[in-house]
Amino acid sequence: MVTVTNYKVHEKEDGDTYIRLQLSGGINMVKSKVSGLFYATARRASIACTLSEEGAKAMIGTVLDGEIEKVESEPYDFTLDTGETVELTHRWVFAP
């Protein structure tokens, strides 16, 4: 099960806009490679939708059947909240 936690309006290169629902899965415990200590994190993903902004706002809090899965991808750089940049080779996607 995943929960709709928010939405974002995105602008395409041609100026049109679309909405992505932000999803969050359950809490996972992950062991730090640096300190060896565990910390809690949640898997997050987003999906495009055809809802209006009002409809997307009304979806916040809705629980959906499915899960957020790890999928291998081409390497890319990702900046952490701390400002540190790391290279990732996966992304998180919603699977109904």
Side-chain angles (χ1 to χ4, degrees), residues 17-56:
T17 60
Y18 69 99
I19 294 176
R20 294 188 69 83
L21 297 176
Q22 295 178 330
L23 309 175
S24 181
I27 298 294
N28 298 312
M29 298 304 293
V30 179
K31 188 174 185 178
S32 169
K33 292 179 183 177
V34 176
S35 69
L37 300 174
F38 285 91
Y39 62 94
T41 187
R43 293 180 180 175
R44 293 175 296 214
S46 68
I47 55 173
C49 72
T50 60
L51 299 172
S52 66
E53 190 167 353
E54 293 78 24

Side-chain angles (χ1 to χ4, degrees), residues 1-5 22-28 40-46 62-64 66-69 92-94:
M1 305 290 251
V2 300
T3 304
V4 178
T5 56
Q22 295 178 330
L23 309 175
S24 181
I27 298 294
N28 298 312
T41 187
R43 293 180 180 175
R44 293 175 296 214
S46 68
T62 301
V63 176
L64 304 173
E67 57 188 37
I68 297 174
E69 297 179 342
W92 298 98
V93 297
F94 173 69

Side-chain angles (χ1 to χ4, degrees), residues 58-78:
M59 291 291 294
I60 295 173
T62 301
V63 176
L64 304 173
D65 286 333
E67 57 188 37
I68 297 174
E69 297 179 342
K70 185 177 183 178
V71 175
E72 296 304 314
S73 68
E74 293 294 320
Y76 64 97
D77 289 337
F78 180 80

Side-chain angles (χ1 to χ4, degrees), residues 5-25:
T5 56
N6 207 350
Y7 70 92
K8 282 195 177 177
V9 179
H10 291 270
E11 187 172 336
K12 296 189 276 185
E13 291 179 11
D14 64 5
D16 282 345
T17 60
Y18 69 99
I19 294 176
R20 294 188 69 83
L21 297 176
Q22 295 178 330
L23 309 175
S24 181

